[in-house]
Amino acid sequence: QVQLAESGGGLVQPGGALNLSCTASEFVYTMAWFRQTPGKDRDFVAAISRSGGVTTYAHSVKGRFTISRDSAKNTVSLQMNGLKSEDTAVYYCAADFRTIATTADGYDYWGQGTQVTVSS
């Protein structure tokens, strides 16, 4: 059973930056980030392939967020720049042994989530 542990959430002002990190207990193919606000579905943010050569982003974060991974360390990071109030959410790390997916059902393994709050 793959275990995922996120870190790096917190409170930041609009326009600020945060870096989220997630470590997997073993190597996985695809790693991704999703986010969720109360009463809403879990939304796709970004994903990265096994090699790191393929990335995909939600339209709302493209150009502001960057996903990267260190496969040797089984880690994935999400650098978030130009944060907006609408980025406030619980961010979840996800992983799977299948190819990249942009929906939650494409991932079998999930972290516990880390809160990101963008507010002045």
Side-chain angles (χ1 to χ4, degrees), residues 7-69:
S7 62
L11 172 65
V12 64
Q13 293 186 342
L18 277 177
N19 186 276
L20 304 182
S21 183
C22 172
T23 300
S25 58
E26 61 184 86
F27 180 78
V28 287
Y29 282 8
T30 301
M31 301 189 81
W33 291 94
F34 285 74
R35 64 188 182 186
Q36 188 172 26
T37 54
K40 295 189 176 181
D41 292 336
R42 197 164 292 187
D43 291 332
F44 172 76
V45 175
I48 190 165
S49 65
R50 177 178 63 175
S51 68
V54 178
T55 58
T56 187
Y57 296 90
H59 178 75
S60 59
V61 307
K62 193 172 294 184
R64 298 188 298 124
F65 292 9
T66 301
I67 189 170
S68 61
R69 71 184 293 171

